[in-house]
Amino acid sequence: MAQLAPYFKPSLPFTGPIHGSLRDGLMVIISGTVLPPCDRFQIDFQCGSCPIPQADIAFHFNPRFEEGGYVVCNTFERQTWGKEERKYEMPFFKGHPFEIRVLVKHDSFLVAVNGKHFVEYKHRIPLSKVNNLSVSGGVEVAVISFQDTTPPGAWCPRSAGITNAAFPPIQLAPGSTYSVSLSDAESICINYLFSFPFCLLSNPAFPPGPYQPQTYPVPYHTLILGGLCPSRSLVITGTIPLDADRFHVNLKWGEEIAFHLNPRFSEKTIVRNSFLHQCWGPEERGLPSGMPLSRGQSFTIWILCEACCFMVTVNGHHQFSYNHRVLNLQQIDRLEVEGDVMLTYVQV
């Protein structure tokens, strides 16, 4: 099934379609920042987008900073709110970034905030009716992305086995094996999916209190389990230092680089190339709209793998395509990011 395209920096209030409706195994990831004057914000999984009369809301997730802070979950059906479920705990902090992961299961929504499981909400409306996502309130959203956690042939934590439910940063070599007691398998699987969506990310644990923006170590290396295939995509978000010269993103296997994406700030271009059979190929440098990346600015790069090429979007604007120079896309099983960049979010 084709992966859904992300929404980059949507203006709020925002309502956008979830093409194909919700389904078991789909994860929705919302990254952004709580604005300092925020009193409350909400995320709604809706049955349609009509404001008048208000569309049914299968899942209403509503953090409120009043009364010490709590989160309301509810369902709006037939123009009436159902029974509220409140959790008197506030995982968000004004002026600080956040990451919300909503894992859709056949019987419930599982919500994690900043890498920790937060709440489970049982379905009151069939998943097949839910086809829109709405976000509003005192937040700024950087990206809303979608990830299938169990595509065909995907690695599954239940089968791989995991030894540590806290999941500190790890790096795995191909063929590594681990063991786990299945008595805790369900909770471990949930925590694993929230921390590592479909691939193994070097994702540092979030502290329990106010925290600085999440960063990944650079050089950054991670596996792309199952390899690439048409319609699979990668999202990379970060900030470029004021004194940056260049950085690069490599999609590779072994020592071969299928796609080398190399922003060079002194040259005001993004060089694209492949390193195959110990030799660099011809460079591609053209940028129809000019250099989309700037020193001192944040960015989001979306790389979509299609049957004939990689499509690259920067900050929500398509920049270029890069025709494949290798035929076997599935062998491309590693992502590398190196150079003058601070990474704040990676989704593979």
Side-chain angles (χ1 to χ4, degrees), residues 53 114 187:
N114 300 335
S187 62

Side-chain angles (χ1 to χ4, degrees), residues 27 55 60 67 87 145 166 169 204 237 269 282:
M27 183 181 288
H60 171 75
E67 301 176 15
K87 184 164 184 176
S145 57
T237 297
T269 192

Side-chain angles (χ1 to χ4, degrees), residues 156-227:
C156 175
R158 180 185 291 276
S159 62
I162 304 155
T163 58
N164 187 350
F167 302 108
I170 55 176
Q171 295 293 324
L172 298 185
S176 298
T177 58
Y178 299 85
S179 62
V180 66
S181 168
L182 291 182
S183 61
D184 296 323
E186 289 298 331
S187 62
I188 289 177
C189 284
I190 291 169
N191 287 331
Y192 192 90
L193 285 168
F194 283 139
S195 298
F196 305 93
F198 182 50
C199 65
L200 301 178
L201 302 183
S202 299
N203 188 359
F206 284 86
Y211 56 90
Q212 296 301 313
Q214 177 189 10
T215 59
Y216 296 85
V218 176
Y220 175 81
H221 305 260
T222 192
L223 298 178
I224 305 172
L225 292 179

